[in-house]
């Protein structure tokens, strides 16, 4: 206290200069400046501000229910029963839904989904996940003790990256990620102080992965860091490609030869549309390659309730399976997840329904399969529609959307537009997407937010809007691109 009794002036303890420097490096384009502006425009529309459109179409994120997809009835019935158990006496609910709810509740403390669960996740759910993986992979065993339930797949991915990040200077952990990539990876790498190691997917070959490119990337990275991790997203986000079995085998051999930890992001495993494409799990291929690989290659694979036909993003359910992890490290992993107590119990319950869905002979089976098939069929139709319409536009080229929920078209931009963008301090495709939003109400994410080869420009667009709205959106996009090109010619 000063002589006159007044408290001395003090500045903020936490400022931009004194905060964690790694946090300032985090960038997450999927909810970046374009989306923030889209939210402002929505408010302006509600306030009566005149625009050349009546609504904002948010095609920037894979949020199925926000785009109008209806929840799967069986899942919501069981979730309702778990949340309000008095409904178990209501005859409006089918018996298989009640049985699932009773089983989940009996595994919860106090028979309530409001109780904490064990840190690794509800035991019976982890057993169901293991059984699901075993069925999916043609009988290859899965140990429930290797299953960790997570707060969406994102939580598991960040947790594994935390375990892997170590060293300083040239010994810092390098994390190999595909370009284009999902910004969760670049953001997490920045936050943890690891080193981002880019490898480029081959756009000319439908975003395929070339081992020669992995080798180039690895050798270059070893000059300045210690590459220890190889991340694969299959089916791909934002590019929508589905990797062939041969490609997965090649990646596993590469990881084994170069002593890399493999992370397989497989959250779109049910989203495969293109003829001749098929989902192959990394674990299945690993074990079918024999003990030389199945006993040595360290693998963490991830799945989620947020994508596929479920689209239940808000429940934040997910799991990861770890293979060949050192037992002492696994003990540290269990300790690490215990710090946050447990993943959300409703998300765990929903994950259980995904891996333990209605079976033939159960009352809900036919209606469940009808809804599931309808969602995946509609997505396949919209994947084809998106590719076809975008490829009719001079200056836009779109690879086949083989899987996942997105297209990642390449756009040709006039030199004048590129120069104007640079004068404003914006990436050219950010300039393009911002102008698209202001002129049409369509919210997309620029390719620069995902990474792309220098001199190329893209945007990511989800295929989730209802078919009629998707057609309108694609035609608006077509008209905009033609006008934009003429304006800056």
């Amino acid at each position: 206290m000063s002589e006159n009794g007044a408290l001395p002036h003090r500045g903020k303890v936490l400022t931009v200069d004194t905060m964690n420097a790694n946090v300032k490096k985090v960038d997450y384009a999927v909810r970046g400046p374009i989306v923030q502006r889209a939210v402002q425009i929505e408010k302006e529309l509600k306030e009566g501000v005149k625009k050349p459109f009546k609504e904002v179409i948010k095609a920037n994120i894979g949020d199925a229910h926000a785009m109008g997809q209806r929840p799967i009835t069986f899942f919501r019935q069981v979730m309702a029963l778990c949340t309000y158990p008095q409904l178990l006496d209501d005859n409006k609910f089918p018996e298989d839904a009640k049985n699932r709810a009773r089983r989940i509740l009996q595994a919860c403390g106090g028979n309530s989904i409001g109780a904490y669960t064990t840190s690794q996740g509800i035991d019976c759910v982890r057993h169901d996940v293991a059984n699901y993986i075993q069925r999916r992979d043609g009988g290859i065993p899965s140990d429930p003790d290797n299953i960790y339930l997570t707060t969406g797949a994102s939580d598991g991915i960040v947790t594994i990256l935390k375990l892997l990040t170590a060293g300083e200077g040239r010994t810092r952990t390098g994390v190999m990620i595909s370009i284009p990539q999902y910004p969760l990876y670049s953001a997490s790498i920045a936050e943890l102080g690891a080193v981002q190691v880019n490898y480029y997917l081959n756009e000319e070959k439908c975003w395929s992965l070339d081992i020669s490119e992995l080798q180039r990337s690895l050798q270059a990275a070893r000059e300045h860091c210690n590459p220890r991790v190889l991340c694969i997203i299959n089916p791909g986000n934002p590019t929508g490609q589905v990797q062939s079995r041969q490609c997965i085998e090649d990646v596993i051999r590469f990881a084994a030869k170069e002593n890399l930890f493999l992370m397989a992001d497989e959250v779109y495993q049910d989203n495969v549309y293109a003829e001749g494409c098929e989902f192959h799990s990394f674990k299945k291929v690993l074990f079918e390659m024999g003990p030389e690989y199945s006993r040595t290659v360290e693998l963490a694979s991830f799945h989620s309730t947020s994508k596929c036909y479920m689209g239940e993003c808000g429940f934040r359910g997910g799991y990861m399976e770890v293979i060949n992890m050192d037992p002492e490290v696994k003990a540290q992993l269990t300790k690490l997840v215990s710090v946050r107590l447990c993943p959300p119990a409703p998300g765990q319950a929903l994950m259980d329904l995904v891996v333990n869905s209605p079976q033939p002979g159960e009352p809900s089976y036919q209606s469940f399969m009808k809804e599931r098939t309808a969602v995946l069929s509609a997505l396949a139709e919209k994947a084809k529609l998106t590719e076809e319409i975008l490829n009719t536009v001079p200056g836009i080229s779109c690879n086949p959307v083989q899987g996942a929920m997105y297209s990642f078209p390449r756009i040709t931009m006039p030199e004048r537009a590129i120069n104007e963008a640079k004068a404003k301090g914006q990436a050219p495709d950010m300039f393009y997407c911002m102008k698209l939003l202001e002129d049409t109400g369509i919210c997309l994410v620029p390719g620069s937010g995902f990474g792309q080869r220098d001199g190329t420009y893209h945007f990511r667009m989800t295929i989730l809007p209802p078919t009629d709205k998707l057609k309108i959106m694609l035609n608006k996009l077509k008209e905009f691109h033609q006008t934009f090109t003429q304006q800056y010619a």
Side-chain angles (χ1 to χ4, degrees):
M1 191 172 285
S2 63
E3 289 180 17
N4 62 7
L7 288 170
H9 175 74
R10 57 183 287 273
K12 298 283 188 189
V13 173
L14 181 62
T15 68
V16 171
D17 293 327
T18 62
M19 69 179 284
N20 184 335
N22 287 336
V23 173
K24 289 190 280 186
K25 298 174 188 173
V26 171
D27 189 20
Y28 189 65
V30 174
R31 294 198 174 185
I34 294 264
V35 184
Q36 291 160 19
R37 177 59 187 142
V39 171
Q40 288 177 343
I41 289 174
E42 282 183 319
K43 288 179 181 174
E44 290 170 12
L45 285 169
K46 284 179 185 174
E47 291 164 1
V49 178
K50 296 297 180 188
K51 303 277 182 187
F53 48 86
K54 292 181 180 178
E55 65 170 334
V56 172
I57 302 175
K58 289 182 182 171
N60 63 295
I61 196 166
D63 191 348
H65 293 185
M67 299 295 328
Q69 181 179 309
R70 294 181 66 81
I72 299 294
T73 302
F74 179 78
F75 292 168
R76 288 302 181 90
Q77 285 175 330
V78 179
M79 295 310 297
L81 292 163
C82 286
T83 308
Y84 191 62
Q86 287 89 328
L87 292 173
L88 286 163
D89 298 324
D90 193 320
N91 60 13
K92 293 189 185 75
F93 291 84
E95 204 56 39
D96 52 349
K98 290 181 179 181
N99 289 338
R100 296 293 197 291
R102 289 188 189 104
R103 182 167 177 266
I104 291 165
L105 289 171
Q106 285 165 9
C108 294
N111 292 336
S112 171
I113 206 167
Y116 286 131
T117 74
T118 57
S119 299
Q120 203 167 332
I122 298 170
D123 188 60
C124 72
V125 178
R126 289 191 293 114
H127 276 80
D128 286 347
V129 169
N131 289 335
Y132 161 80
I133 292 170
Q134 192 163 322
R135 289 193 308 274
R136 181 198 68 188
D137 292 346
I140 293 165
S142 177
D143 184 350
D145 194 46
N146 290 337
I147 306 296
Y148 289 77
L149 302 182
T150 57
T151 308
S154 304
D155 172 50
I157 289 164
V158 174
T159 300
I160 294 296
L161 287 174
K162 279 182 182 175
L163 288 176
L164 284 155
T165 301
E168 294 179 0
R170 288 186 61 170
T171 67
R172 274 198 305 165
T173 294
V175 182
M176 299 182 70
I177 61 171
S178 63
I179 298 296
Q181 54 103 23
Y182 178 52
L184 164 70
Y185 290 90
S186 55
S188 302
I189 291 164
E191 183 184 351
L192 295 169
V195 179
Q196 179 176 320
V197 177
N198 297 339
Y199 65 89
Y200 289 89
L201 299 176
N202 190 333
E203 184 171 9
E204 282 65 40
K205 293 184 179 177
C206 205
W207 299 112
S208 62
L209 193 163
D210 297 330
I211 297 301
S212 59
E213 170 59 14
L214 286 181
Q215 194 68 58
R216 178 209 63 78
S217 170
L218 182 74
Q219 286 173 346
R222 281 180 171 157
E223 297 296 316
H224 60 89
C225 69
N226 177 23
R228 303 175 68 201
V229 196
L230 173 56
C231 302
I232 309 283
I233 309 174
N234 180 50
N237 175 11
T239 45
Q241 87 286 0
V242 179
Q243 302 294 1
S244 68
R245 183 193 167 91
Q246 183 61 55
C247 174
I248 293 170
E249 285 187 15
D250 291 344
V251 167
I252 289 170
R253 287 191 190 94
F254 177 80
K257 179 169 75 80
E258 302 295 349
N259 202 31
L260 297 170
F261 189 107
L262 264 178
M263 293 177 63
D265 181 338
E266 299 175 331
V267 302
Y268 298 98
Q269 58 190 257
D270 289 324
N271 298 112
V272 177
Y273 319 120
E275 197 173 326
C277 289
E278 184 182 349
F279 170 73
H280 302 278
S281 79
F282 265 79
K283 184 192 175 186
K284 182 174 191 284
V285 176
L286 176 67
F287 276 76
E288 288 178 348
M289 289 173 69
E292 178 188 355
Y293 298 99
S294 64
R295 291 178 183 170
T296 59
V297 174
E298 294 153 88
L299 169 70
S301 57
F302 308 89
H303 195 18
S304 164
T305 63
S306 301
K307 310 302 178 183
C308 298
Y309 62 93
M310 302 86 70
E312 293 280 13
C313 305
F315 276 100
R316 308 309 298 131
Y319 74 73
M320 62 181 173
E321 182 182 30
V322 294
I323 303 294
N324 293 323
M325 182 173 274
D326 182 290
E328 291 184 9
V329 174
K330 199 169 160 207
Q332 295 294 320
L333 169 59
T334 303
K335 178 187 75 175
L336 186 59
V337 299
S338 71
V339 172
R340 285 170 293 182
L341 295 174
C342 66
Q348 296 185 52
L350 186 63
M351 191 78 251
D352 188 66
L353 304 178
V354 172
V355 299
N356 185 24
S357 56
Q359 298 301 302
E362 290 189 304
S364 301
Y365 177 72
Q366 287 188 328
S367 59
F368 169 78
M369 288 303 296
K370 184 179 178 183
E371 290 179 36
R372 181 186 188 278
T373 302
V375 171
L376 292 174
S377 297
L379 284 169
E381 178 191 339
K382 290 186 281 190
K384 190 70 178 167
L385 181 74
T386 301
E387 176 200 344
E388 287 174 351
I389 292 180
L390 288 177
N391 280 327
T392 67
V393 187
I396 298 183
S397 60
C398 181
N399 270 314
V401 182
Q402 296 176 330
M405 296 177 171
Y406 317 97
S407 63
F408 196 69
R410 185 166 172 172
I411 51 176
T412 302
M413 291 185 60
E415 200 64 33
R416 272 188 60 213
I418 294 169
N419 292 336
E420 187 169 327
K422 288 177 179 175
K424 291 187 172 188
Q426 290 183 335
D429 44 18
M430 169 66 88
F431 174 76
Y432 178 96
C433 287
M434 194 64 86
K435 190 160 178 53
L436 174 72
L437 174 63
E438 297 288 354
D439 291 359
T440 69
I442 297 171
C443 180
L444 306 179
V445 191
S448 49
F450 300 90
Q452 55 198 349
R453 285 194 182 276
D454 288 345
T456 68
Y457 308 107
H458 301 80
F459 58 77
R460 188 189 81 162
M461 185 190 84
T462 179
I463 62 170
L464 287 171
T467 304
D468 55 347
K469 189 176 280 191
L470 181 65
K471 285 179 182 174
I472 292 168
M473 186 176 84
L474 288 167
N475 284 316
K476 273 189 174 185
L477 181 54
K478 182 177 182 177
E479 290 169 13
F480 169 82
H481 187 82
Q482 289 166 340
T483 304
F484 179 88
T485 302
Q486 289 165 3
Q487 181 183 348
Y488 288 99

